[in-house]
Amino acid sequence: MKKLLLLLLLPALISCGNDKNSEDKTENQTNTDSLETEKENEFKVLDSKNIELDSVWAPFKNDLAKFSKEKYEELKPLIFDKNIPDIQSAIKDGKLSYEELSLFYLYRIKKFDRENEFSLNSVISLNPNLIGEARQKDDQLKNAEVNHPISGIPVLLKDNINTRNMATTAGALALENNQTEDAFIVQKLKENGALILGKANLSEWAYFFCGKCPSGYSAVGGQTLNPYGRKTFDTGGSSSGSAVAVAANLAPVAVGSETSGSILSPSSQNSVVGLKPTVGNLSRGGIVPISSHLDTPGPITKSVIDNVILYSAMAGLDTEDAASVEIKNINYNLESVKLEGKRFGAFKQLMEDSIYNRAISDLKNAGAEVIEFEAEEIELNNFLRLLSLDMKNDLPKYLENYGGETGFSSVDDIVKYNIQDSTVRMPYGQSLFEGIVQETTDTTDLDSIKQDLSEKGKRYFDSPMGEFDLDGILSINNYHAGFAAAAHYPAITVPMGYDEAGAPKGLTFFAKTGEEDKLYQWALAFEQASKRRKSPENYE
């Protein structure tokens, strides 16, 4: 089983997803003996020495001094583990304000996230204007007509997403002073009334940097830890901080990004809901890239309804992003749906997993038909090479068109910079960046690689879907994320339970290009039928 899972997982983990508890590693690591969960003594770095906490908290000193523990406990039943509609209802009824909502999350971040026995290192920076902006939302509420449900809700952004008033670092010291304008999706969030809470830690450079480093580590943010098993369970990556913060109620919702597994992996391993959209459905403009062919941002939330709300608030046509498309009429008022007549495919290779089996039973009890099938053995040759070639081209374009005054213009510049102080800037090395520098090809060859991977990725899903007349495919965590990435197919993962050690797992649905509406319907039906998500015990 271990060897089989390794073969299944390799395509998902060539770039940024990481699911060590399920025997995964990057493409060039095939020794299964090395595939173990990171233990505390294997972390070279835990706490960041590059975040000045006094400066981070200075803008909130007076407001937090007035926000007592008693007030926190009074508000907790209205906010903790509640979805956005419930929070908005409490605000509409006058039981809660947007200012109090923001202070609640600041209180929890200060209490749990850094320099204490429960620290998670999930947040890199905070929006210094948060409280003032929340007060404006409270004032506007008095005269507002119908707002988007994201209005007034604090949103945490992965720190590879450009955001005004906070540096966008991708977790790298090379970008610690990368002051930018808002990314396109951040502009859309603000247009729809969202509050930007701050920036989340991540696997440095979206986990396409060091090769053998633990997921969730960055030189800027330190080592993100899993709230369900701090220093024991892997966080998944690369959107580690986004998923951890949402799981531990340090943020109501967060935005991650995925090239191959970077939303699905941390979402499933931290028992939250994560959507990897079809490439182009959400703009990539102003997001530090790996691959313009595969990258996409996506929402990470505790519930399916919150996920579609956040997704809809980021949508819009970006004329500067060649892949961008306009999505019309996203329905964020999800209602219960029946699964009668829906046919899903389940991998025979995964049927030994008892939690996967139970999730399949939940779907069957909800009316779905599940057909087991043998997956075709397909190798995604040149996947790693595609990422290297794309990043070699795409990172300079980001630095030129979206970056601040960093002093860098290429991957080679950053490699040389890191070598000057390797212990601090790259304690786990930079093998993937070094590989990027060495890669060369022409446009024809790169286009051929993309076409080949696309055909193979689609065949991996289309063959069983056609043969068995399937609506979608069921998987675990990010096990088949690489094939979905190559195919440009969307996926959503929903908490499906915990193993004997307490590690979370997610049931992951795959559909065809542009079928996010179907994914949301299936995910909601499963969420309501199973109701297996639990908050981490030490963070209540």
Side-chain angles (χ1 to χ4, degrees):
M1 184 65 176
K2 179 179 257 190
K3 182 177 179 181
L4 174 60
L5 282 178
L6 177 65
L7 293 173
L8 289 172
L9 290 164
L10 286 176
L13 296 152
I14 292 165
S15 71
C16 40
N18 195 359
D19 193 351
K20 293 189 185 71
N21 290 334
S22 299
E23 295 86 42
D24 64 344
K25 276 285 188 178
T26 52
E27 182 184 54
N28 58 349
Q29 295 171 307
T30 57
N31 180 5
T32 56
D33 293 335
S34 69
L35 304 179
E36 303 295 338
T37 302
E38 297 285 354
K39 298 297 190 294
E40 178 179 359
N41 61 4
E42 294 175 320
F43 292 130
K44 293 182 179 181
V45 179
L46 273 175
D47 297 321
S48 171
K49 295 179 175 58
N50 298 299
I51 296 177
E52 296 180 2
L53 290 178
D54 288 344
S55 297
V56 170
W57 289 108
F60 314 107
K61 184 176 180 180
N62 293 336
D63 292 307
L64 282 175
K66 301 172 188 176
F67 190 79
S68 65
K69 182 178 180 182
E70 290 73 23
K71 186 64 175 179
Y72 166 79
E73 294 294 342
E74 175 189 333
L75 296 177
K76 190 175 179 182
L78 300 174
I79 302 172
F80 189 89
D81 267 353
K82 299 298 184 183
N83 61 30
I84 289 174
D86 287 343
I87 290 172
Q88 294 287 21
S89 179
I91 290 172
K92 183 179 179 181
D93 292 343
K95 300 175 182 178
L96 177 67
S97 69
Y98 292 123
E99 179 182 353
E100 290 171 332
L101 179 66
S102 297
L103 285 167
F104 178 88
Y105 287 110
L106 290 175
Y107 183 96
R108 286 187 61 82
I109 292 169
K110 190 169 178 58
K111 180 178 180 180
F112 287 116
D113 199 50
R114 290 192 181 269
E115 295 188 346
N116 64 77
E117 62 180 320
F118 299 112
S119 62
L120 298 171
N121 301 333
S122 65
V123 178
I124 281 182
S125 60
L126 294 169
N127 174 12
N129 303 317
L130 175 65
I131 301 304
E133 292 168 358
R135 288 173 182 150
Q136 291 178 1
K137 296 300 175 188
D138 286 322
D139 291 339
Q140 293 168 5
L141 186 65
K142 302 169 186 176
N143 303 313
E145 298 179 1
V146 177
N147 290 325
H148 191 287
I150 203 67
S151 183
I153 301 298
V155 178
L156 188 68
L157 303 172
K158 184 176 180 180
D159 196 25
N160 62 347
I161 301 171
N162 283 2
T163 315
R164 188 183 299 175
N165 297 323
M166 288 169 278
T168 297
T169 72
L173 289 174
L175 298 187
E176 64 179 338
N177 296 313
N178 183 33
Q179 298 290 340
T180 70
E181 295 300 311
D182 288 332
F184 185 88
I185 61 168
V186 179
Q187 295 174 28
K188 298 304 295 184
L189 284 168
K190 290 181 177 180
E191 287 174 15
N192 284 306
L195 297 171
I196 304 305
L197 173 58
K199 307 296 281 292
N201 200 6
L202 68 162
S203 305
E204 189 167 339
W205 292 107
Y207 217 33
F208 201 67
F209 173 59
C210 43
K212 294 184 179 181
C213 50
S215 55
Y217 170 77
S218 75
V220 172
Q223 181 63 54
T224 311
L225 299 170
N226 189 320
Y228 290 90
R230 188 176 175 275
K231 302 179 185 177
T232 303
F233 300 145
D234 185 35
T235 62
S238 64
S239 304
S240 313
S242 299
V244 166
V246 170
N249 277 273
L250 306 184
V253 296
V255 182
S257 68
E258 175 155 332
T259 306
S260 174
S262 274
I263 290 173
L264 299 178
S265 168
S267 295
S268 55
Q269 289 179 252
N270 292 280
S271 203
V272 291
V273 179
L275 174 78
K276 178 260 180 185
T278 301
V279 173
N281 279 16
L282 298 180
S283 166
R284 290 88 51 79
I287 300 176
V288 181
I290 293 178
S291 167
S292 57
H293 183 61
L294 301 178
D295 291 346
T296 178
I300 296 176
T301 61
K302 288 185 286 293
S303 66
V304 175
I305 184 63
D306 284 1
N307 205 276
V308 70
I309 287 172
L310 181 55
Y311 175 59
S312 68
M314 294 187 284
L317 178 64
D318 178 5
T319 57
E320 300 299 315
D321 180 352
S324 181
V325 297
E326 186 171 8
I327 315 167
K328 297 181 179 179
N329 303 319
I330 299 176
N331 179 20
Y332 51 73
N333 295 309
L334 293 179
E335 298 179 358
S336 300
V337 294
K338 301 291 184 182
L339 291 180
E340 281 83 0
K342 297 294 183 291
R343 292 169 58 86
F344 298 108
F347 292 92
K348 284 186 178 179
Q349 297 96 320
L350 301 181
M351 296 306 294
E352 294 179 27
D353 189 298
S354 61
I355 300 174
Y356 184 62
N357 263 290
R358 185 179 65 182
I360 288 171
S361 295
D362 290 333
L363 290 171
K364 289 179 178 178
N365 292 336
E369 191 174 352
V370 180
I371 295 89
E372 296 179 26
F373 71 94
E374 291 274 2
E376 181 181 354
E377 291 188 11
I378 296 176
E379 293 186 10
L380 295 178
N381 301 319
N382 289 315
F383 198 108
L384 178 61
R385 189 159 181 244
L386 166 62
L387 303 186
S388 294
L389 292 167
D390 263 359
M391 195 168 191
K392 190 168 188 175
N393 295 326
D394 295 335
L395 183 57
K397 292 177 183 177
Y398 164 85
L399 293 170
E400 180 180 357
N401 298 323
Y402 296 102
E405 298 296 328
T406 66
F408 302 104
S409 61
S410 69
V411 175
D412 189 38
D413 289 345
I414 295 165
V415 167
K416 292 174 181 175
Y417 167 82
N418 289 334
I419 291 172
Q420 294 171 7
D421 191 353
S422 59
T423 301
V424 173
R425 297 171 184 172
M426 54 167 197
Y428 298 97
Q430 54 180 348
S431 61
L432 294 175
F433 261 34
E434 290 166 352
I436 292 171
V437 172
Q438 296 167 6
E439 277 288 3
T440 58
T441 192
D442 57 33
T443 303
T444 302
D445 188 29
L446 181 57
D447 289 343
S448 176
I449 290 172
K450 292 177 180 178
Q451 181 64 30
D452 178 66
L453 288 171
S454 176
E455 291 174 356
K456 288 179 176 177
K458 289 178 179 178
R459 188 170 85 236
Y460 191 80
F461 294 108
D462 291 356
S463 292
M465 292 178 82
E467 181 178 354
F468 300 105
D469 190 26
L470 304 176
D471 294 286
I473 301 286
L474 307 172
S475 184
I476 299 173
N477 293 12
N478 62 320
Y479 283 16
H480 302 90
F483 293 104
H488 282 196
Y489 283 2
I492 192 167
T493 189
V494 183
M496 68 172 177
Y498 308 83
D499 67 17
E500 293 180 358
K505 286 189 175 184
L507 180 66
T508 301
F509 297 81
F510 293 99
K512 292 191 176 183
T513 299
E515 293 187 340
E516 281 80 1
D517 56 338
K518 294 181 180 180
L519 288 176
Y520 276 127
Q521 292 170 3
W522 304 337
L524 180 66
F526 173 70
E527 180 184 62
Q528 294 178 338
S530 58
K531 297 181 179 178
R532 294 227 160 77
R533 183 185 181 273
K534 298 181 295 184
S535 285
E537 292 181 359
N538 291 329
Y539 300 88
E540 296 180 357

